[in-house]
Amino acid sequence: MENSNMKFQVIGDERGSLISLEAIKNIPFNIKRVYYIYNVDPKLPRGFHAHLELQQVLVCVSGSCKVILDDGHVKSEHILNEPDQGILVDKMVWHEMHNFSEDCILMVLASDIYKEEDYIRNFDDFRTSIKGKSISNNYFSHEKSLVETNNIGENTKIWAYTHVFPGAEIGENCNINDHTLIENDVVLGNNVTVKSGVHIWDGVRIGNNVFIGPSVVFTNDLNPRSKRYPEKFAQTIINNYASIGANSTIVAGNIIGEYAMIGAGSVVTKDVPPYTLWYGNPAVFRGYVCECGNKLNSQYICQLCNKNFKDKIEFI
Ligand code: T46
């Protein structure tokens, strides 16, 4: 899933604040419909569907709610509680809205008129259509690899002595190097690089364009005992464009945010917010990083790209 968080420019003066949402300018499609949801019982979630073609931007113009997105590879949670904040819900993204505050007014900008035939309201149908898209025979697996899944996208390469279990899902254009193990309940997005000697166990979800350095280990059981298996393994989520340095360990149940950077040899024991740099054992927050990977300066500017991230990062 590409970065779905949006931040809008606020035009403010002593009279108050104004935000302008304009097709193609700060909304990435032509807006054909606007609707809003309000007076929602906080106990009753909404959504639970994906759209075949529709693109939408959700903005909480008052109050708050939680939005869960799932593109079939990566699941992410977003709190909407500021009117200058939006969430882009692309086509074929399963979405749910939870925890509506009583004063919540959720405004939705949509790329098309209402069409019931554009909805996929059953999660299994959604999963099936996502899977159907990624299966391909056009991938490479080295003769000395053991690949048991059929669910591998176009142009992916799997190198020698790597074992991929039957339930694993791997996207397009990935490069999985030697001596790597990928268990059953594992999902990798597109354009993922996995260097040699990586262990990816049940419960790990890896987004698009993620870099996983050599000898990285994911765990999935916080209280391991031999021959005792938890009912369900903890889920660890690595969001799009994150990078994990060589020889790091990601402890089960944590979420690594988009574009986050984990330094070599780290032990990650906490959630890591987007665009942040963490390293050490245990890994701690060390600063903010650019999309190119360079550390931002104290003004939140990348001195290589000249991009300013002040409006993009969550301050810690
Ligand atoms: C979405 C999330 C974010 C219409 O007749 N016209 C409309 O434009 C819309 C949006 C809905 N409807 C009807 C369809 C249902 O009979 O209103 C009823 C309630 O819709 P639904 O149960 O789909 O509402 P939510 O809150 O679960 O989902 C809505 C949108 O429908 C959906 O597209 O992405 O908000």
Side-chain angles (χ1 to χ4, degrees):
M1 211 177 333
E2 295 302 316
N3 190 355
S4 40
N5 293 312
M6 304 175 84
K7 196 88 171 156
F8 306 119
Q9 190 195 356
V10 181
I11 306 164
D13 57 32
E14 63 284 357
R15 297 167 300 167
S17 304
L18 184 153
I19 292 172
S20 162
L21 303 181
E22 210 175 306
I24 309 303
K25 205 169 163 195
N26 56 357
I27 301 296
F29 49 78
N30 279 316
I31 303 160
K32 286 210 182 154
R33 177 171 51 122
V34 177
Y35 59 92
Y36 30 94
I37 297 169
Y38 62 106
N39 273 346
V40 180
D41 182 335
K43 295 188 291 300
L44 298 181
R46 302 184 65 116
F48 295 88
H49 50 246
H51 285 286
L52 287 167
E53 291 299 334
L54 192 72
Q55 293 176 288
Q56 303 188 102
V57 170
L58 278 54
V59 182
C60 239
V61 288
S62 159
S64 63
C65 69
K66 179 170 88 178
V67 180
I68 298 180
L69 303 180
D70 184 347
D71 68 356
H73 300 295
V74 177
K75 202 169 169 181
S76 56
E77 281 192 17
H78 310 258
I79 305 292
L80 283 179
N81 56 6
E82 297 288 348
D84 66 346
Q85 209 190 337
I87 291 286
L88 173 66
V89 182
D90 215 340
K91 62 180 173 182
M92 290 308 284
V93 173
W94 185 263
H95 51 285
E96 302 170 10
M97 296 91 77
H98 297 258
N99 303 356
F100 285 87
S101 64
E102 278 174 8
D103 58 344
C104 179
I105 302 176
L106 181 65
M107 180 180 72
V108 183
L109 311 178
S111 64
D112 206 351
I113 57 170
Y114 171 72
K115 291 176 185 159
E116 186 54 41
E117 63 274 19
D118 189 63
Y119 285 73
I120 306 178
R121 291 194 184 268
N122 177 295
F123 189 70
D124 290 338
D125 293 346
F126 165 71
R127 292 280 292 170
T128 308
S129 39
I130 290 287
K131 272 193 179 178
K133 280 201 174 140
S134 63
I135 295 174
S136 147
N137 290 324
N138 194 12
Y139 67 89
F140 165 82
S141 56
H142 192 278
E143 58 180 333
K144 296 240 156 48
S145 64
L146 173 54
V147 178
E148 298 186 89
T149 178
N150 292 321
N151 201 346
I152 299 183
E154 299 241 319
N155 299 326
T156 282
K157 295 186 181 65
I158 298 176
W159 295 98
Y161 308 107
T162 281
H163 185 178
V164 184
F165 282 48
E169 293 174 31
I170 300 179
E172 298 171 6
N173 204 28
C174 296
N175 195 22
I176 321 273
N177 283 265
D178 293 16
H179 292 281
T180 282
L181 184 141
I182 301 182
E183 234 186 350
N184 280 302
D185 182 22
V186 172
V187 180
L188 266 69
N190 301 324
N191 306 315
V192 174
T193 298
V194 180
K195 302 304 273 187
S196 297
V198 173
H199 296 186
I200 313 179
W201 304 103
D202 283 337
V204 177
R205 301 286 178 267
I206 294 174
N208 300 322
N209 301 84
V210 167
F211 173 88
I212 300 176
S215 301
V216 166
V217 169
F218 295 87
T219 72
N220 66 2
D221 186 350
L222 293 174
N223 310 100
R225 291 285 190 216
S226 181
K227 307 281 178 204
R228 202 192 63 185
Y229 306 100
E231 252 171 47
K232 197 170 183 309
F233 289 107
Q235 200 173 75
T236 301
I237 298 173
I238 315 300
N239 278 306
N240 297 337
Y241 295 96
S243 296
I244 304 183
N247 208 28
S248 295
T249 298
I250 312 297
V251 173
N254 290 304
I255 299 175
I256 312 286
E258 285 167 359
Y259 290 103
M261 176 78 73
I262 308 299
S266 300
V267 177
V268 176
T269 59
K270 288 181 175 167
D271 288 347
V272 170
Y275 294 95
T276 58
L277 168 68
W278 293 55
Y279 54 87
N281 178 3
V284 295
F285 170 69
R286 311 277 181 167
Y288 297 95
V289 278
C290 177
E291 286 158 7
C292 75
N294 188 42
K295 196 173 172 189
L296 302 183
N297 69 13
S298 55
Q299 306 302 305
Y300 313 107
I301 292 170
C302 172
Q303 280 169 319
L304 291 181
C305 311
N306 283 328
K307 278 192 194 157
N308 188 330
F309 286 84
K310 202 164 176 208
D311 291 335
K312 233 172 182 179
I313 52 186
E314 289 167 28
F315 290 100
I316 295 188

